């Protein structure tokens, strides 16, 4: 399950390629591993995205898209897949086992773009995942065939081009001409008998390679076609893509050429501030970066991406390789130094506790920079004498590891760094505390105990040496308090937390707020609900003052538990659903799972039995089977079991159907179910709902409740899948529902009444 957009947005129209898209869809019907091959710039990614978009209804658990650009190892490949699928938890099992366990019960299409970077690693991973997950299909793009067992290949050939002497009608019918005219965006251009031979020759010279055609189309906005064809004829040997990039390069001014070359250092999307910091200097002033960047966007050398209000830029693979090939080792080394120093400064700045803006918005943006952070970390790890800088970067990204859904990556890098770097003193202690907190949050308590013990020894050594600086013993006590809570050692947790908070009196930092929230959770576990409410309301005030919305969502969630203990269910439900909304937006899997759990417990108390059964069943997919649910806390797990027993007794034989419907929900449907009241609150409303539906729509609704996908429903009822799609859309519209989970809950409740 993932809360991320499944497929990249297509910012330009897809011209032609109907045959190729159809071939990919047919290949996915015949086999579970399909590889699109073709030369650079031929459009493999666009064809894969369009085919995946058109087949997504066949995959009940969604489509996941992962770009492999910038990845260098099997471990980084596993991390990228885990992040895309929303798996950010334990690493005690191998990454392959973790991915396989997540995919095993699901019907998913996994699209991997750019597999030529890691052909052997992708082949091995594909074989392991397909063997473990029978509902998984994989669609790959690569410049070379992987030669994996069961692989079906679809070659994406260049677009059709006119033959020599083609007539006007024949030229107009070719895909290469259609793309050239589309991207030229010149409303005055007309294909005539006089220019037919010229256009035909240009398309043939470009060999039908889409990216080359697009670059030439940009050139055609400022240069006559005759001149373009003449200059192309004089190009030295090399691929069409190299020639096309060379033409665009020739069209650029000196500042644009310099920026083009320097932008190749970015491993993923970047913003204007990063481009100015890394690429300015020595021939390119900072104020000249934006005009040059805008010109490169106009020339289709760089593309723009918009996500959650953020504008980012990205360089396509072919033009990036063109730039890298023209850089000397010294120039590339200097750019990598500037790149890692920029992202180090960003990490350190992000790690400071200055909340002038929303923490959620800040770290959502930071997570979009992950490919560049990863490249900087790897660059520091490979450079000599950069241990301290690497430590500062890893510790500076603590919020990314702990609260922004990337604990798996953080744990992997911190463990590797601590094992190999030989770093000592306060930097090692800061890394150990962050690592311990990650391990506690993942429920890996034995590993947490070991790093906590090492941190204790280090604190003692620092105090004995009377090292200058602020001793972070209070923060360590807060981490220890979290560990004791999960272990069920409530008195020890309370005592340690109180000592730490007393020492931090007056502090408004994140560590202090974390300590207050954890103390509130300990009081809830001790059934001291009034004290918990007082403590947690204090934490919420501090979070509101500092715009600390992520930790504030945790305070809301624990306060909901305390209010539940006092019987104040309405306010508890309001806070719990608010926490679901915040954690889902942050895309933090285990936090969303816990928030949904609390909503499920409250729904049980409020006699919303069907909704509660669906939610508590659905959280199993959110926690993941390899992760210790409830962070390993037996007390929280017992509450889950107690609610399940109450629901079994209340629903009787209908509990099994409700639980099955919950297990079949997608992540988005789980969140939607948690945020909406159980439909059909009265008999009159239910009867009215039945009256609105046709007999066939009632049949479809019942099969949706049984957990069947639209494709399986079409097979059961012997109707077209598209017809089932229409029926489901009509049901949602007529009943005013937001998703399939509400249809299932409504049907199950009606069955229970009948």
């Amino acid at each position: 399950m993932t809360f991320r957009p499944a497929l990249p947005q297509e910012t330009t129209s897809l011209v032609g390629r109907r045959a190729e898209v159809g071939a990919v869809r047919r290949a996915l019907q015949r086999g579970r591993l399909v590889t699109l091959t073709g030369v650079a710039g031929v459009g493999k990614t666009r064809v894969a995205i369009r085919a995946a978009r058109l087949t997504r209804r066949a995959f009940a658990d969604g489509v996941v898209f992962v770009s492999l650009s910038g990845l260098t190892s099997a471990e980084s490949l596993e991390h990228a897949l885990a992040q895309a699928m929303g798996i950010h938890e334990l690493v005690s099992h191998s990454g392959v086992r973790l991915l396989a366990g997540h995919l095993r019960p699901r019907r998913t299409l996994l699209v991997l773009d750019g597999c030529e970077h890691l052909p052997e690693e992708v082949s091995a991973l594909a074989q392991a995942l397909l063997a473990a997950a029978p509902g998984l299909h994989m669609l790959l793009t690569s410049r070379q065939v992987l030669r994996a067992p069961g692989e079906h290949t679809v070659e994406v050939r260049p677009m059709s081009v006119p033959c020599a002497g083609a007539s006007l009608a024949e030229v107009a019918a070719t895909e290469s001409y259609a793309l050239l005219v589309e991207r030229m965006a010149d409303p005055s251009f007309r294909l005539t008998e006089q220019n037919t031979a010229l256009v035909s020759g240009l398309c043939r010279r470009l060999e039908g390679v889409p990216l080359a055609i697009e670059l030439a189309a940009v050139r055609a906005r400022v240069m006559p076609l005759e001149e373009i064809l003449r200059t192309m004829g004089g190009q030295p040997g090399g691929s069409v893509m190299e020639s096309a990039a060379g033409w665009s390069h020739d069209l650029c001014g000196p500042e644009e050429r310099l920026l083009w070359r320097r932008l190749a250092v970015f491993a993923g999307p970047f913003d204007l501030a990063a481009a100015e910091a890394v690429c300015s200097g020595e021939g390119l002033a900072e104020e000249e970066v934006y005009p040059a960047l805008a010109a490169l966007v106009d020339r289709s050398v760089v593309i723009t991406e918009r996500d959650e209000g953020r504008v980012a830029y990205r360089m396509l693979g072919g033009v990036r390789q063109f730039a890298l090939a023209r850089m000397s080792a010294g120039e590339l080394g200097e750019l990598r130094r500037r790149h890692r120093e920029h992202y180090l400064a960003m990490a350190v700045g992000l790690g400071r506790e200055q909340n002038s803006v929303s923490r959620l918005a800040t770290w959502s943006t930071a997570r979009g920079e992950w490919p560049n952070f990863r490249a900087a970390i790897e660059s520091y790890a490979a450079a000599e004498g950069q241990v301290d800088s690497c430590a500062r970067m890893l510790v500076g990204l603590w919020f990314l590891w702990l609260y922004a859904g990337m604990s798996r990556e953080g744990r992997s890098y911190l463990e590797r760094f601590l094992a190999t770097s030989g770093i000592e003193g306060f930097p090692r202690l800061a890394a150990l505390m962050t690592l311990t907190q990650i391990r506690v949050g993942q429920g890996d308590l034995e590993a947490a105990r070991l790093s906590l013990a090492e941190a204790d020894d280090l604190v003692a050594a620092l105090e004995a040496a009377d090292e200058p600086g602020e001793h972070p013993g209070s923060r360590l006590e807060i981490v220890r308090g979290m560990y004791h809570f999960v272990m069920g050692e409530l008195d020890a947790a309370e005592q340690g937390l109180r000592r730490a908070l007393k020492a931090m009196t007056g502090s408004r930092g994140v560590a202090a707020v974390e300590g207050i929230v954890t103390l509130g959770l300990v009081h809830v576990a001790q059934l001291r609900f009034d004290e918990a409410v007082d403590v947690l309301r204090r934490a919420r005030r501090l979070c509101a003052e500092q715009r600390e919305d992520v930790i504030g969502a945790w305070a809301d969630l624990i306060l909901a538990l305390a209010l539940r203990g006092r019987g104040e269910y309405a306010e508890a439900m309001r806070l719990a659903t608010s926490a679901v909304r915040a954690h889902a937006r942050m895309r933090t899997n285990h936090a969303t799972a816990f928030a949904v759990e609390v909503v499920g417990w409250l729904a049980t108390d409020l006699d919303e039995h069907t909704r509660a059964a669906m939610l508590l069943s659905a959280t199993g997919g959110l926690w993941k089977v390899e992760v210790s649910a409830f962070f390993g806390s037996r007390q929280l797990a017992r509450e889950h079991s107690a609610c399940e027993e109450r629901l079994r007794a209340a629903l009787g034989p209908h509990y099994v159907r409700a639980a099955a419907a919950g297990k079949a929900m997608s992540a988005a449907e789980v969140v939607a179910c948690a945020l909406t009241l159980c439909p059909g609150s009265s008999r009159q409303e239910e009867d009215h709902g039945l009256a609105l539906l046709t007999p066939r729509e009632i049949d479809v609704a019942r099969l949706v409740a049984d957990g069947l996908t639209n494709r399986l429903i079409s097979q059961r009822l012997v109707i077209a899948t598209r017809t089932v799609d229409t029926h489901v859309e009509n049901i949602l519209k007529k009943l005013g529902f937001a998703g399939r989970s509400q249809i299932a809950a409504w049907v199950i409740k009606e069955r229970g009444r009948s």
Side-chain angles (χ1 to χ4, degrees):
M1 296 183 182
T2 177
F3 299 101
R4 305 183 63 209
L7 288 168
Q9 293 299 313
E10 297 177 275
T11 56
T12 56
S13 60
L14 180 64
V15 176
R17 296 308 198 187
R18 181 172 297 179
E20 289 81 357
V21 171
V24 173
R25 297 179 69 183
R26 290 191 295 274
L28 285 169
Q29 293 172 349
R30 294 194 304 269
R32 295 169 55 214
L33 177 62
V34 178
T35 303
L36 278 67
T37 63
V39 299
V42 81
K44 300 182 291 295
T45 303
R46 290 299 303 271
V47 171
I49 290 173
R50 178 57 60 89
R53 198 177 300 281
L54 292 176
T55 58
R56 66 188 184 279
R57 291 185 182 275
F59 298 95
D61 295 296
V63 179
V64 178
F65 179 91
V66 185
S67 172
L68 307 192
S69 175
L71 302 184
T72 58
S73 66
E75 183 182 29
S76 64
L77 171 63
E78 293 166 8
H79 282 183
L81 265 64
Q83 183 186 4
M85 289 187 285
I87 307 172
H88 308 294
E89 325 313 307
L90 274 182
V91 293
S92 56
H93 300 281
S94 72
V96 175
R97 285 185 59 189
L98 189 68
L99 295 167
H102 172 77
L103 292 166
R104 186 173 293 112
R106 295 175 171 80
R107 184 168 179 79
T108 305
L109 175 62
L110 181 58
V111 184
L112 303 185
D113 184 41
C115 297
E116 65 273 3
H117 298 293
L118 297 166
E120 295 180 0
E121 292 82 356
V122 171
S123 178
L125 181 67
Q127 293 176 59
L129 295 182
L130 291 168
L136 173 66
H137 283 60
M138 296 183 69
L139 178 58
L140 317 178
T141 73
S142 176
R143 296 181 195 175
Q144 63 186 68
V145 178
L146 299 184
R147 305 194 185 283
E151 180 183 23
H152 293 249
T153 60
V154 175
E155 183 181 3
V156 181
R157 293 179 172 274
M159 290 180 154
S160 60
V161 298
C163 61
S167 67
L168 184 152
E170 289 170 335
V171 172
T174 61
E175 291 181 333
S176 55
Y177 166 75
L179 180 62
L180 179 67
V181 173
E182 168 79 15
R183 298 299 188 257
M184 281 172 59
D186 181 359
S188 66
F189 178 81
R190 295 288 184 274
L191 186 65
T192 65
E193 294 291 348
Q194 289 71 35
N195 64 17
T196 294
L198 175 64
V199 172
S200 176
L202 180 60
C203 291
R204 285 198 306 277
R205 180 66 182 83
L206 294 168
E207 298 182 5
V209 177
L211 184 54
I213 293 172
E214 295 198 16
L215 293 173
V218 173
R219 190 180 180 99
R221 297 172 190 170
V222 295
M223 180 182 290
L225 296 180
E226 298 93 331
E227 183 65 17
I228 295 175
L229 189 58
R230 186 189 66 77
T231 57
M232 289 170 58
Q235 288 288 333
S239 72
V240 172
M241 262 308 305
E242 289 176 340
S243 297
W247 310 325
S248 294
H249 191 262
D250 292 343
L251 195 63
C252 294
E255 295 84 3
E256 295 161 28
R257 295 179 188 179
L258 189 57
L259 181 62
W260 181 346
R261 193 163 69 244
R262 291 176 178 177
L263 289 176
V265 75
F266 289 101
F270 55 90
D271 60 17
L272 177 60
E276 289 174 339
V278 176
C279 301
S280 62
E282 297 182 26
L284 186 64
E286 186 173 315
E287 61 271 16
E288 294 175 320
V289 170
Y290 177 72
L293 181 59
L296 292 177
V297 171
D298 290 341
R299 301 187 197 287
S300 296
V301 173
V302 173
I303 61 174
T304 58
E305 297 180 341
R306 287 173 171 82
D307 182 29
E308 297 183 359
R310 172 179 178 259
V311 178
Y313 304 88
R314 181 167 60 86
M315 184 175 282
L316 296 173
V319 294
R320 182 170 184 258
Q321 291 302 317
F322 176 89
L324 288 171
R326 280 151 182 79
M327 270 197 284
S328 66
E331 184 181 12
L332 182 57
E334 173 62 17
L335 281 171
R336 284 177 173 162
R337 181 191 66 79
R338 297 189 65 175
H339 176 273
R340 66 181 180 242
E341 287 181 356
H342 171 74
Y343 284 97
L344 171 61
M346 182 184 292
V348 172
L350 288 167
R352 294 195 187 106
E353 299 174 4
Q354 297 175 357
N355 296 347
S356 58
V357 295
S358 159
R359 181 88 71 174
L360 191 154
T362 299
W363 285 95
S364 293
T365 300
R367 188 171 43 207
E369 295 276 6
W370 171 241
N372 285 304
F373 280 128
R374 179 181 62 215
I377 293 169
E378 296 287 356
S379 181
Y380 274 125
E384 293 185 8
Q386 298 297 327
V387 172
D388 288 342
S389 295
C390 192
R392 291 173 64 209
M393 188 161 199
L394 290 172
V395 173
L397 293 172
W398 63 272
F399 206 90
L400 201 66
W401 315 139
L402 297 176
Y403 290 103
M406 293 188 64
S407 62
R408 192 170 187 266
E409 290 85 349
R411 177 171 178 172
S412 176
Y413 277 116
L414 283 164
E415 287 180 338
R416 190 172 73 182
F417 175 76
L418 288 168
T420 60
S421 69
I423 194 166
E424 299 176 347
F426 288 111
R428 184 173 189 86
L429 180 58
L432 277 169
M433 287 193 293
T434 302
L435 176 60
T436 302
Q437 201 165 346
I438 292 173
R439 288 171 168 176
V440 171
Q442 293 175 336
D444 191 357
L445 302 181
E446 177 56 25
R449 183 187 65 80
L450 294 174
S451 52
L452 191 60
E454 184 180 350
D456 279 333
D457 292 342
L458 190 51
V459 166
L462 290 170
E463 289 176 346
D466 195 23
E467 289 284 343
E470 181 182 351
H471 292 264
S474 297
R475 183 186 165 197
L476 184 59
E477 282 296 327
I478 289 170
V479 175
R480 193 193 319 281
M482 298 174 183
Y483 170 79
H484 282 310
F485 167 77
V486 176
M487 290 291 293
E489 300 163 351
L490 302 182
D491 290 342
E494 180 186 2
Q495 292 167 12
L497 289 167
R498 288 194 179 281
R499 282 195 303 270
L501 293 173
K502 183 178 180 180
M504 300 170 74
T505 299
S507 172
R508 293 174 175 267
V510 170
V513 178
E514 286 177 332
I516 296 170
V517 173
T518 306
L519 181 60
L521 181 58
V522 170
H523 285 331
V524 170
Q526 294 169 326
L527 308 182
R528 293 156 58 182
F529 301 119
D530 291 339
E531 293 175 73
V533 168
D534 291 341
V535 165
L536 291 161
R537 282 180 172 160
R538 176 188 165 201
R540 291 186 74 226
R541 285 194 298 271
L542 289 173
C543 290
E545 291 170 4
Q546 301 176 54
R547 303 193 68 181
E548 186 58 78
D549 38 17
V550 179
I551 300 178
W554 279 101
D556 283 349
L557 187 59
I558 309 307
L559 180 55
L561 284 174
L563 293 172
R564 176 182 181 239
R566 298 205 313 192
E568 299 175 29
Y569 297 116
E571 179 64 9
M573 183 65 86
R574 186 188 70 79
L575 290 168
T577 52
S578 174
V580 170
R581 195 174 289 108
H583 289 313
R585 184 183 168 198
M586 200 65 192
R587 306 166 190 167
T588 311
N589 228 44
H590 65 269
T592 305
F594 190 27
V596 171
E597 278 282 346
V598 174
V599 172
W601 298 349
L602 287 163
T604 304
D605 299 332
L606 294 169
D607 295 331
E608 297 177 20
H609 297 139
T610 301
R611 179 192 185 202
M614 293 172 68
L615 290 175
L616 296 188
S617 173
T619 56
L622 290 172
W623 286 111
K624 314 297 177 215
V625 294
E626 284 86 356
V627 175
S628 298
F630 313 106
F631 321 107
S633 168
R634 294 180 182 177
Q635 185 161 353
L636 295 176
R638 283 196 297 269
E639 184 62 28
H640 173 92
S641 299
C643 285
E644 280 189 328
E645 290 303 313
R646 290 169 58 189
L647 294 169
R648 289 179 189 276
L651 291 172
H654 304 292
Y655 173 82
V656 175
R657 289 186 182 275
K663 188 173 291 186
M665 286 194 293
S666 68
E669 289 175 325
V670 174
V671 171
C673 184
L675 295 178
T676 56
L677 291 174
C678 190
S681 59
S682 71
R683 176 59 186 265
Q684 183 180 3
E685 289 171 349
E686 288 167 359
D687 290 342
H688 179 62
L690 283 172
L692 287 173
L693 303 184
T694 66
R696 178 59 86 189
E697 287 169 350
I698 292 173
D699 291 339
V700 171
R702 287 169 177 163
L703 293 174
V704 168
D706 290 338
L708 273 66
T709 64
N710 287 7
R711 187 176 181 181
L712 292 176
I713 292 172
S714 71
Q715 295 171 2
R716 179 76 61 88
L717 299 179
V718 197
I719 57 178
T721 303
R722 187 167 296 177
T723 303
V724 178
D725 297 342
T726 301
H727 284 319
V728 172
E729 290 172 3
N730 287 340
I731 294 167
L732 294 170
K733 184 181 295 184
K734 288 179 179 180
L735 299 182
F737 293 163
R740 297 169 73 92
S741 61
Q742 290 179 292
I743 297 175
W746 175 75
V747 170
I748 292 167
K749 191 167 185 180
E750 174 60 21
R751 284 171 175 164
R753 275 198 339 92
S754 302

